[in-house]
Amino acid sequence: MEKKNRTRLDSASKELIIKSVAEEGAQVSDIAGQYDAGPSTVHRWVKEYRESLTGLVSESEAEKITAAYEKKIRALEEENEILRKAIRGFSDIER
């Protein structure tokens, strides 16, 4: 099996990859494939990025951010439930 040499990514591409995964929730495997980077490398970059953020926000600010994310999650869960009910309703109509 031939070993594949990967191209070296510039810092702008690396930063884009990290932010896509860490902040936007992109899948590591998808992003790694797009940029011809190894998934384990992307995981390492994201881990290092998250570790570098430790201590950058106060505890109260972190709590506010967490509360905002939890509120968003609840809203999305409610939306998903509404969509599930609508799908069930439409599938019953077609029968």
Side-chain angles (χ1 to χ4, degrees):
M1 183 175 210
E2 188 176 321
K3 184 176 181 181
K4 183 178 179 183
N5 291 328
R6 299 211 182 262
T7 57
R8 195 162 181 92
L9 294 171
D10 59 32
S11 60
S13 297
K14 182 178 173 181
E15 185 176 330
L16 182 64
I17 290 169
I18 292 168
K19 296 217 183 241
S20 296
V21 173
E23 296 175 5
E24 297 171 14
Q27 293 293 316
V28 170
S29 57
D30 295 340
I31 295 296
Q34 288 176 2
Y35 288 90
D36 196 30
S40 61
T41 301
V42 174
H43 279 293
R44 181 173 38 87
W45 290 344
V46 171
K47 179 182 177 194
E48 290 169 356
Y49 169 75
R50 287 181 175 149
E51 288 173 352
S52 73
L53 295 179
T54 303
L56 293 182
V57 294
S58 67
E59 193 171 326
S60 63
E61 186 66 26
E63 288 172 2
K64 288 178 187 176
I65 293 169
T66 302
Y69 278 124
E70 288 172 350
K71 182 178 179 181
K72 180 73 172 177
I73 289 169
R74 283 191 303 275
L76 290 171
E77 287 172 342
E78 289 175 10
E79 185 178 326
N80 283 341
E81 186 58 33
I82 291 168
L83 291 171
R84 281 188 200 102
K85 289 177 182 178
I87 289 171
R88 276 188 244 127
F90 285 126
S91 65
D92 289 343
I93 292 172
E94 292 177 7
R95 291 182 187 172

